[in-house]
Amino acid sequence: MSSQAVGHIALIPLYVAAGTAILTLLADLFTGRRAVIAGVTLLGTLATAVGALLTNGADPTFCAAGGCSWIPSGAAATTAVLFAGLTAGVLAFSLPALRLGVAPAGEFCFLLACSMTGGVTVAYAGDLITLIVGLETLTLPLYVLAGLRRFAPGERVSAAPAAASVTFFLISVVSTAIALLGVALNYAATGAVHLALLGPAPAPFAPIAGVGAALLVIGLAFKVAAVPLHAWAPATYDGAPVPVAAYLSTASKLGGVLALAAVVSRLDTRAVVIVLAILTMTIGNLVALRQSRMVRLLAWSSIAQAGYILAALALGEPGVVAALAYAAFFVVLELIAFGVVVALRRPGADGGAIDDYRGAARRSPWLGAALVLALAGLAGLPPGLAGLFAKLSVVDALVDANWTWLAGIVVLNAVIALAYYVRVSAALYTLPARIGLSVADPALVNAAVNPRLPVPRPVAVTLVAAVAVAVALGFAPQLLFDALS
């Protein structure tokens, strides 16, 4: 029995990401110092991104019978860098709360690094088993992070974090079981688990393979909160700490999109994905119109955004690049939106109501501008050029495939979404209702009633970096498309 050679060069991003989790755990064990723990994790995310870029183009490894389980590529390296950047950003957003002891720094950073390791695995996965294992490694730590909350003496204890954690756990277990059943049925019909070998089943087994493919897509659709598999997302996002909600809305959703792209580009799941896309974008936008809490609005907005991505994925392989590009644009803009929420709220506080943000742009002009940029991008309008090119890429792919009717539905939903994005943007520059026009200087009274909170340096630096990336992608989107091709 011959042993299989392992391409360690190709595995460097995984080694670095997993090593980051281990070193974070050791830093907590031997030093217990928050600064050391966070520093190790941040350096690990940087090293993971560098490792992914340096090993781009390495030979695949774990290959057998015509397929490989670990496949380096431009798309894999790009998404691995995204996972590392999102992890670093969410950690930076969490540092003010960690300083207050809202969560134990060691456990928090370790779980975040473990989740990043799962994201890297999904990016490079070349078979269905590796894909599912990576996706679960990405999401498993988030069950704990969603409910990881210490309450200070005298602080009102809330069950919201625990409820968010349990809700996410139960739904995710069900979705994983459905996805694994789909993998099993597809394997029984075709005998293939490697992505390169997936394809139509022989005639007698075609119905089994069709059911397996549909179940696999449905199981993975839970991860991107596609309607009607979405009910967990708004409650979980609103109950979890805001930085963790940011990670759920960006890194976790990116992992689900990567998994779906790997499947729909090789199996005929067009009918299922079309239905999911239309329901997701339409219901997500309509329900977002009625939201009064900021994080819930962002949650429903992210559900609608998943619908646009699914519309591109309905095309199969021709729509994969457009879908991945849209996902990349989306996660950067979503990270900015959640970062501004973190900056405008007290450390450890929840996202609050939309009315709590009235006049925020008057107190903090640059934060208001950053949030307007993010919301404009999510709406697909200037100055959010990254979001504009994202929507154009999806519509262009649909039109090129003569799916003008679906492109029309995408455009119609984008118009509906303008209502709530404009409402939030306008609230940032509107004085609270309790400060009437009869006051001699309403802006001065607003500043006294709602004083500007100092923005912690890690949050400010991360926001500046994220805005710079969004602007750069807006002016040079082709760089991203080339990297994902």
Side-chain angles (χ1 to χ4, degrees):
M1 182 176 179
S2 60
S3 60
Q4 186 183 64
V6 177
H8 294 287
I9 299 297
L11 292 169
I12 284 177
L14 178 64
Y15 291 158
V16 176
T20 300
I22 295 171
L23 290 175
T24 298
L25 192 62
L26 293 176
D28 182 38
L29 178 64
F30 289 109
T31 69
R33 296 177 58 188
R34 183 182 58 254
V36 174
I37 296 167
V40 168
T41 308
L42 286 173
L43 288 175
T45 61
L46 176 61
T48 301
V50 172
L53 293 174
L54 292 179
T55 57
N56 183 21
D59 293 331
T61 188
F62 298 121
C63 300
C68 298
S69 296
W70 190 268
I71 305 177
S73 65
T78 302
T79 48
V81 170
L82 271 176
F83 279 118
L86 293 172
T87 303
V90 169
L91 177 56
F93 292 159
S94 305
L95 286 178
L98 293 178
R99 289 197 186 100
L100 297 179
V102 171
E107 288 87 335
F108 187 93
C109 294
F110 170 71
L111 291 169
L112 206 57
C114 288
S115 190
M116 177 180 68
T117 305
V120 171
T121 303
V122 172
Y124 287 85
D127 65 66
L128 292 175
I129 303 303
T130 304
L131 194 68
I132 297 294
V133 169
L135 203 55
E136 288 308 298
T137 306
L138 170 63
T139 55
L140 274 171
L142 299 179
Y143 306 153
V144 183
L145 286 174
L148 194 63
R149 178 74 161 86
R150 286 174 176 167
F151 293 95
E155 184 181 3
R156 185 175 65 86
V157 177
S158 172
S165 179
V166 172
T167 301
F168 186 31
F169 170 74
L170 293 176
I171 295 297
S172 191
V173 166
V174 173
S175 70
T176 302
I178 293 173
L180 287 174
L181 178 59
V183 172
L185 290 176
N186 189 76
Y187 178 75
T190 64
V193 291
H194 286 98
L195 299 178
L197 302 179
L198 293 182
F205 305 107
I208 297 176
V211 173
L215 288 176
L216 180 55
V217 168
I218 290 171
L220 296 177
F222 275 99
K223 305 298 184 183
V224 298
V227 175
L229 316 167
H230 67 289
W232 63 273
T236 301
Y237 287 19
D238 202 24
V242 177
V244 176
Y247 203 75
L248 281 167
S249 185
T250 55
S252 179
K253 194 171 292 274
L254 178 61
V257 170
L258 288 172
L260 280 169
V263 172
V264 303
S265 62
R266 295 169 175 88
L267 299 176
D268 185 11
T269 58
R270 183 172 300 179
V272 176
V273 180
I274 288 175
V275 173
L276 290 175
I278 295 174
L279 288 175
T280 302
M281 70 176 87
T282 304
I283 293 178
N285 281 321
L286 291 177
V287 179
L289 291 172
R290 299 177 55 85
Q291 299 307 305
S292 60
R293 290 184 60 80
M294 180 63 82
V295 172
R296 279 186 177 268
L297 184 140
L298 291 175
W300 283 104
S301 164
S302 73
I303 290 171
Q305 300 290 336
Y308 305 139
I309 297 171
L310 288 171
L313 291 178
L315 294 171
E317 187 174 3
V320 166
V321 172
L324 293 182
Y326 194 107
F329 287 129
F330 161 74
V331 297
V332 173
L333 295 169
E334 190 83 346
L335 185 70
I336 295 171
F338 273 99
V340 174
V341 171
V342 171
L344 292 175
R345 303 289 289 173
R346 296 186 183 279
D350 61 13
I354 295 174
D355 284 342
D356 296 335
Y357 294 82
R358 289 192 178 276
R362 293 170 176 260
R363 301 189 299 272
S364 302
W366 76 274
L367 288 177
L371 185 52
V372 168
L373 173 70
L375 295 176
L378 293 172
L381 293 175
L385 294 178
L388 175 61
F389 284 116
K391 282 191 171 54
L392 286 177
S393 67
V394 171
V395 172
D396 185 56
L398 293 171
V399 171
D400 286 346
N402 294 320
W403 286 26
T404 310
W405 63 274
L406 187 54
I409 295 176
V410 169
V411 172
L412 178 61
N413 273 278
V415 173
I416 295 173
L418 286 177
Y420 58 85
Y421 288 130
V422 170
R423 175 163 64 95
V424 176
S425 299
L428 296 172
Y429 295 89
T430 305
L431 291 175
R434 63 179 179 272
I435 301 176
L437 295 177
S438 59
V439 178
D441 192 342
L444 186 61
V445 175
N446 179 44
V449 175
N450 301 300
R452 184 175 67 178
L453 297 174
V455 181
R457 183 173 298 176
V459 177
V461 171
T462 304
L463 274 175
V464 169
V467 168
V469 170
V471 171
L473 290 177
F475 282 102
Q478 193 59 43
L479 294 176
L480 180 63
F481 286 102
D482 291 343
L484 294 172
S485 298

